Amino acid sequence: MSTNTAYYIPHKATWPVIGTAGLMTMLAGFANYLNGSSIGPTIMIIGLVIFVIMLVGWFTLQANESESGMYNHEVGISYRHGMMWFIFSEIVFFAVFFGTLWYTRNLSVPWLGEGATKELLWPSFETTWPTNGPGKVGGDFEPMSAWGLPFLNTLILLTSGVTCTWAHHGLLAKNRDQLIKGLIATVALGFLFVTFQAIEYHDAYTEMGLTLGSGVYGSTFFMLTGFHGFHVCVGAIILSVVVFRSSKGHFKPENHFAFEAAAWYWHFVDVVWLGLFVFVYLI
Amino acid sequence: MSAVVDEQGHHADDHHDHGPEKGLLRWITTTNHKDIGTLYLLFALLMFFVGGAMAMVIRAELFEPGLQFVDPAFFNSMTTMHALVMVFGAVMPAFVGLANWQIPLMIGAADMALPRMNNMSFWMLVAGVLLLASTLFMEGGAPNGGWTLYPPLVLQPITVGKALPFAIFSVHLLGISSIMGAINIIATIFNMRAPAMKMMDMPLFVWTWLITAFLLIAVMPVFAGAVTMLLTDKFFHTSFFNAAGGGDPVLYEHIFWFFGHPEVYIMILPTFGVASTIIPVFARKPLFGYASMVWATGSIAFLSFIVWAHHMFTVGMPLAGELYFMYATMIIAVPTGVKVFNWTATMWEGAMTFETPMLFSIAFVVLFTMGGFTGLMMSIAPSDFQYHDTYFIVAHFHYTLVPASIFMLMAAGYFWLPKWTGHMYNEKIGQLHFWLSAISVNILFFPQHFLGLAGMPRRIPDYAVQFADWNMISSIGGFIFGASQLLFLYIVIDTIRGGTGEKVSDEVWEDAGKHGLEWTLPSPVPYHTWSEPPLIVPTEHVLDSH
C-alpha cells in the first residue's frame, strides 16, 4: 500500500553515471576486440561487471523504495509508460530484421535472378529461398525445418505465457504459493527454450553447414533467432528477480509494477517468437 | 553585481526545499530537470562549436580550387563528422535540453516523470559522443564515408580504418540516450500535466515535443538495427548488404532513410514549437490556428514515415516507386504550408516589436520557407536526377537546419535565458548577432544553390575552376557566420553572469503571462517549481480553438 501522497522525486542518483561508464567501457572494449586488440576482451569484461553491478544496485534501490511505500499511484503510471514505450522501441528493433527478411525474399533475391543482373553477372543463378546468393557465400547448407525443435519451442513459449498469467492470478488472489510456482515454471520453460535453441544452433553449425555466414539466409536466420534468444534470456533473468522478490514477500495485489513489467516483456518475447516461427521457419 | 547578490539571497530563502548540491557532484548526480536541461544545452553549445570548427576546415579547403590545407581523406572525415556532431551532438541534444527546462514549467509539473533515467540519458549522450570523437585520434582517422554510413563504401578498409566499430557503438549509445529521453518526455506530458490543463490547452512547444518523442522511439531502433547489420557484415561474415550472398546494399539505404527522414523532422518539429511559442508573444496576439498547428504537426510526423525513398531517387528504383515517393513527398508541403501561413497570420495586424528572439523567428519563417521550396524542387523525381548529390542538396538542408533549427535554438536562448537566470541579455549585441548571422548565412548557403545547379558534387575537397567564384563567396560567408557565433557564446556567458544588470520581471516580456505558465513563476526560476500543480492555466495561446 502506498503511504506517500506526493509524487516521489529522487534527489541524487549515482547509478546512472556508473551504468553509463560500464556500458561505454564494455562497448569500447568490444570495438577494440573487433579491431584485433588483445586487451579488448579484458576491457569488455570490466565494463560488463560494472554494468551488472549497476543493474543490481539500481534495481535493489528501486525495490526497497517501492516496498517502503515511497511510490504513489502516479509514480506507478510513469513506470508503466516507461515500460510500454521501451517495449515499443524493441518491437521496432525487431521490425527492422523482419523487414530485412521481407525485402530480401520478395525483392532483392528475385532481382538477382532476373533481367540484366542475371544476364551480365550471374547467368546460372535461379531465384530460390532459402539461398546463400549467387556467390554461394558460406558454402552448401541445409535449411532449418520448422517441425522438430522449433515447433517444440513454440509450444514451450506458449505454455510459459499461460504459467505467467496463472502466476499473476495467484498474485491478485493473494495466493503466494501459486505466484511463486507459476513464476518458477515460467522461468524454467524459458531456460528450456534457450537450451533447445542452443542445441538447434549446435546442429546447424556442426551438421547442417548452416552458419551466420551462410549468405543472406544464414544472416537473417541467426540475426532474428539470435536477438530473440537473447531477449528470452533477458526476460528469464528479469522473471528470476521477480521470483526472488516474491519469495521475500514483495508485491501486493494493488502494487506490483515489477511483476507486470516482467510479464509484459515476457509476452512481447512470446509474440515475437510466433512471428519468427511463421516467417523464418514455416513460410 | 547587485543582481548576483539578489540571486544568492533568493536561493538562501529556498534552501529548506532541497537546494542544489554543492560542487561538481551536483552536475554528475543531478535529477533536477533544470540542471539536466542546463547540462544538455551547454553540451550542445560546446558541440555546436566543435562541429562548427569542422565546417570551417571544410570551407577553408574549398576557398580555392586545388588541395590547400588537408588531405582528401581527412576532408571527408570532416564532412562526415561535421554532420554526425551537429545532428546528434548539437541540434538534437539542444532541443532535449529545452524540453527538460521548459516542458515541466509549461505543464505545471514538479519535474520530469523519471528523474533518474533523465540523468542517465544525458550521460549516455556524452558517452556516445566520446566514442565518436575518439575516432578522430585513431589510426586511419575518423569515419569518412559520409554520415549516412552507406555500404559497401563504409565497409572498405580505406574508408574506415579502425573507426567503424566505435562509430557504430556510438550510434547505439546515442540511440539509447534519445529513446530514454523521449520516453521520459512522453511519460511527463501524459502523467505529470497539471489536471487543469487539457491536451488541447498544451503549448505548441509541448505538443511538438510529444510528437517528436514518438518519432524518436519509432526510428532510433531502426538506425540501431541498420548499423548492427553493418557491424555483422564487416566482422561476422553476414551478407545483408552483399549481393553475392543474396543481400542488397540498397536495403541499407531503405532502412537508413526510414530512420533518416523522420530524423530530419525530429530536428524541425521542436523548431516549429519554439516559433509557435515566440511569435505570439511579440505579435501580442494569440497563435493563429492553434488546433490546425497541432494537426499539421501530426500530419507531418505521419508523412515522415512514408516518403523516405525521395533520398534515393537515383538508386534505380522501379518507376512506380519513383512516382509514389514523388507525390507523397509533395503532400508534405500542405501541412507545412498551414504552419507558415499560421505564423504569418499570427503576425498580421499584431502590435509587433522586434527584440532579438522575434528577429530570429521572422528570419526563420522566411528562410525556412525557402529551404522548403528547394525541397519541393527536389521532390520532383526527374529534376532530382540533376540535383542529386550536388551542392544544391547541401544548400537545401542547410537552409532547413541553420536558419531554421539553429536560429530557433538561438531564439529560444534569448527568449528563455532571462527567465532561467533572472538577468537580461544585452539587446544591442543580440541584435548585432542576429544581423551578422542572418546576412552571412545567406552569403554562405545561397551561392551553393548555383554551384549545385551547375553540377558541383558534394563531399569533394577539390573542384573544377568554373566553381571557384561562388565557392570563395560561400567560404567568406561561412567565416563571417562562424565568427558571429562567438557573439552568442559571449552573450550566454554574460547573461548567466548578470547580463545588463537589469532585474527582469516575472513575465520578462510584456504580457507573456497570458501565453504560458512559465512566465507566472518568479525570475529566476527557483530550483524547484510546481510542487503543487497550478489550478488555472493560461489559454491565450489557444484562444481561437475554444
Side-chain angles (χ1 to χ4, degrees):
Chain A
M1 181 68 74
S2 58
T3 51
N4 202 347
T5 51
Y7 194 96
Y8 173 63
I9 293 165
H11 283 289
K12 223 175 107 180
T14 42
W15 292 117
V17 73
I18 294 172
T20 305
L23 194 57
M24 186 179 144
T25 311
M26 189 165 80
L27 290 176
F30 190 24
N32 271 309
Y33 162 72
L34 292 175
N35 283 338
S37 151
S38 55
I39 52 157
T42 316
I43 299 175
M44 205 171 138
I45 289 166
I46 292 170
L48 180 67
V49 170
I50 298 172
F51 190 71
V52 170
I53 291 171
M54 178 279 289
L55 287 177
V56 174
W58 194 342
F59 280 105
T60 306
L61 174 70
Q62 296 281 136
N64 290 339
E65 285 179 353
S66 175
E67 286 304 309
S68 61
M70 286 161 82
Y71 301 160
N72 66 3
H73 180 64
E74 277 69 33
V75 173
I77 293 178
S78 289
Y79 287 159
R80 281 167 183 79
H81 269 290
M83 193 65 198
M84 199 175 79
W85 288 104
F86 168 63
I87 290 176
F88 176 71
S89 76
E90 291 266 55
I91 291 170
V92 176
F93 186 72
F94 273 101
V96 175
F97 299 109
F98 276 109
T100 298
L101 180 64
W102 179 87
Y103 180 93
T104 306
R105 289 187 61 171
N106 293 295
L107 297 173
S108 68
V109 171
W111 284 338
L112 287 170
E114 67 182 33
T117 316
K118 182 180 167 73
E119 281 165 34
L120 299 173
L121 290 175
W122 291 293
S124 61
F125 180 70
E126 297 294 335
T127 297
T128 53
W129 188 264
T131 182
N132 54 359
K136 301 211 179 302
V137 173
D140 289 336
F141 69 91
E142 194 185 323
M144 191 59 75
S145 156
W147 310 106
L149 280 181
F151 182 65
L152 190 59
N153 264 347
T154 308
L155 297 179
I156 289 171
L157 267 199
L158 287 176
T159 313
S160 77
V162 175
T163 55
C164 185
T165 306
W166 187 65
H168 196 191
H169 283 294
L171 171 54
L172 293 175
K174 299 193 179 175
N175 183 344
R176 193 147 294 263
D177 191 46
Q178 183 181 334
L179 165 66
I180 293 172
K181 276 184 185 152
L183 280 171
I184 289 175
T186 313
V187 173
L189 288 168
F191 283 117
L192 189 63
F193 174 95
V194 177
T195 310
F196 281 159
Q197 198 178 22
I199 295 170
E200 183 192 355
Y201 276 21
H202 184 259
D203 286 352
Y205 266 78
T206 55
E207 287 165 25
M208 301 162 69
L210 176 60
T211 69
L212 192 57
S214 297
V216 78
Y217 175 76
S219 306
T220 49
F221 175 83
F222 282 103
M223 200 71 146
L224 275 159
T225 57
F227 267 117
H228 176 265
F230 172 71
H231 280 75
V232 174
C233 291
V234 171
I237 291 167
I238 296 173
L239 282 168
S240 306
V241 175
V242 174
V243 174
F244 174 69
R245 287 186 59 188
S246 301
S247 70
K248 293 190 72 172
H250 289 198
F251 308 129
K252 294 175 187 65
E254 66 282 353
N255 176 26
H256 52 270
F257 165 70
F259 179 96
E260 272 182 64
W264 289 353
Y265 195 79
W266 195 250
H267 289 310
F268 148 70
V269 168
D270 208 355
V271 170
V272 170
W273 175 258
L274 289 181
L276 287 180
F277 186 69
V278 173
F279 292 110
V280 175
Y281 291 95
L282 210 51
I283 296 179
Chain B
M1 198 58 214
S2 62
V4 177
V5 176
D6 275 349
E7 193 204 350
Q8 283 165 350
H10 196 87
H11 272 192
D13 292 339
D14 285 329
H15 257 299
H16 59 92
D17 187 26
H18 293 289
E21 298 276 325
K22 292 276 170 277
L24 193 63
L25 215 55
R26 162 182 173 184
W27 299 102
I28 294 171
T29 65
T30 184
T31 55
N32 180 287
H33 73 101
K34 300 179 186 80
D35 281 355
I36 294 173
T38 304
L39 285 171
Y40 263 111
L41 287 169
L42 292 179
F43 185 76
L45 190 60
L46 176 68
M47 286 302 122
F48 176 65
F49 283 102
V50 172
M54 293 170 177
M56 293 300 106
V57 174
I58 296 169
R59 281 323 318 171
E61 181 58 51
L62 294 175
F63 189 73
E64 283 181 328
L67 296 175
Q68 276 77 235
F69 303 106
V70 293
D71 71 77
F74 185 76
F75 180 89
N76 285 340
S77 283
M78 285 294 103
T79 58
T80 306
M81 292 293 278
H82 164 72
L84 290 170
V85 167
M86 285 300 198
V87 170
F88 295 103
V91 176
M92 288 169 69
F95 279 119
V96 179
L98 285 183
N100 260 294
W101 254 104
Q102 284 305 123
I103 289 175
L105 297 184
M106 287 175 147
I107 64 173
D111 206 303
M112 296 293 278
L114 303 160
R116 285 182 182 130
M117 193 170 80
N118 203 10
N119 175 294
M120 195 174 199
S121 51
F122 173 73
W123 289 109
M124 283 280 187
L125 163 73
V126 177
V129 170
L130 281 176
L131 279 191
L132 186 65
S134 71
T135 61
L136 281 166
F137 308 100
M138 272 169 206
E139 188 191 325
N144 56 10
W147 81 284
T148 51
L149 306 171
Y150 279 175
L153 179 65
V154 82
L155 300 178
Q156 290 163 2
I158 187 75
T159 338
V160 282
K162 294 195 177 297
L164 185 69
F166 288 92
I168 286 173
F169 293 143
S170 155
V171 167
H172 285 139
L173 287 176
L174 296 169
I176 295 170
S177 162
S178 293
I179 290 168
M180 289 197 298
I183 288 175
N184 221 334
I185 286 166
I186 291 183
T188 305
I189 294 173
F190 279 129
N191 195 33
M192 306 292 280
R193 216 164 64 243
M197 184 178 275
K198 304 280 171 281
M199 289 294 276
M200 288 307 270
D201 293 336
M202 295 195 315
L204 241 287
F205 180 73
V206 179
W207 258 115
T208 52
W209 243 116
L210 177 66
I211 292 165
T212 303
F214 171 76
L215 291 183
L216 276 168
I217 304 176
V219 301
M220 288 313 292
V222 176
F223 193 20
V227 295
T228 304
M229 287 189 272
L230 282 182
L231 187 81
T232 57
D233 265 17
K234 174 80 180 171
F235 295 103
F236 299 97
H237 317 296
T238 58
S239 300
F240 290 111
F241 309 129
N242 172 14
D248 186 358
V250 176
L251 171 63
Y252 178 87
E253 298 191 21
H254 280 295
I255 302 174
F256 180 86
W257 287 111
F258 187 83
F259 146 79
H261 201 77
E263 166 66 25
V264 303
Y265 291 166
I266 285 164
M267 292 187 281
I268 205 69
L269 292 184
T271 309
F272 293 166
V274 175
S276 306
T277 308
I278 292 177
I279 291 172
V281 171
F282 295 98
R284 291 170 181 75
K285 277 177 66 191
L287 180 68
F288 185 89
Y290 171 86
S292 67
M293 284 298 215
V294 173
W295 286 106
T297 311
S299 309
I300 293 172
F302 169 75
L303 289 170
S304 74
F305 286 106
I306 55 169
V307 297
W308 74 88
H310 66 217
H311 295 267
M312 38 196 286
F313 276 143
T314 60
V315 85
M317 261 188 290
L319 182 65
E322 302 267 323
L323 289 173
Y324 162 74
F325 284 107
M326 173 167 101
Y327 292 126
T329 303
M330 289 175 176
I331 297 173
I332 301 172
V334 176
T336 312
V338 168
K339 285 182 165 287
V340 171
F341 285 123
N342 279 347
W343 290 317
T344 315
T346 305
M347 288 188 266
W348 185 259
E349 294 194 330
M352 293 214 282
T353 50
F354 300 95
E355 288 87 346
T356 313
M358 185 61 166
L359 288 173
F360 272 107
S361 303
I362 294 170
F364 153 74
V365 174
V366 175
L367 297 176
F368 175 75
T369 304
M370 276 178 47
F373 278 138
T374 52
L376 265 180
M377 288 171 71
M378 286 182 295
S379 73
I380 302 165
S383 310
D384 184 69
F385 276 68
Q386 169 74 9
Y387 312 139
H388 189 89
D389 256 346
T390 67
Y391 261 80
F392 194 80
I393 178 72
V394 177
H396 158 70
F397 67 70
H398 278 98
Y399 262 91
T400 62
L401 280 170
V402 184
S405 296
I406 299 284
F407 269 25
M408 288 321 291
L409 283 166
M410 303 282 182
Y414 287 108
F415 188 58
W416 282 311
L417 257 183
K419 184 76 219 169
W420 299 337
T421 62
H423 309 305
M424 199 41 149
Y425 65 86
N426 187 321
E427 183 66 40
K428 272 205 181 111
I429 305 180
Q431 299 211 3
L432 179 67
H433 171 226
F434 167 75
W435 285 110
L436 281 172
S437 300
I439 293 168
S440 63
V441 84
N442 284 295
I443 303 174
L444 166 57
F445 292 120
F446 205 82
Q448 296 183 2
H449 291 118
F450 310 142
L451 289 169
L453 289 175
M456 178 174 162
R458 62 193 287 207
R459 291 168 175 158
I460 49 154
D462 189 8
Y463 48 84
V465 285
Q466 71 264 33
F467 304 127
D469 292 352
W470 288 122
N471 264 304
M472 189 176 282
I473 291 170
S474 176
S475 286
I476 290 168
F479 299 143
I480 301 173
F481 184 81
S484 310
Q485 302 322 306
L486 296 172
L487 282 176
F488 184 69
L489 181 66
Y490 166 77
I491 289 168
V492 169
I493 295 170
D494 179 60
T495 309
I496 292 171
R497 295 176 56 138
T500 56
E502 175 194 345
K503 178 91 180 87
V504 297
S505 68
D506 290 353
E507 280 196 324
V508 181
W509 311 105
E510 190 183 52
D511 284 341
K514 286 186 198 164
H515 293 273
L517 274 178
E518 73 266 40
W519 308 107
T520 64
L521 292 163
S523 298
V525 185
Y527 194 59
H528 290 287
T529 41
W530 300 131
S531 40
E532 293 296 326
L535 298 174
I536 303 167
V537 297
T539 50
E540 175 84 356
H541 58 291
V542 293
L543 208 59
D544 60 336
S545 73
H546 282 287

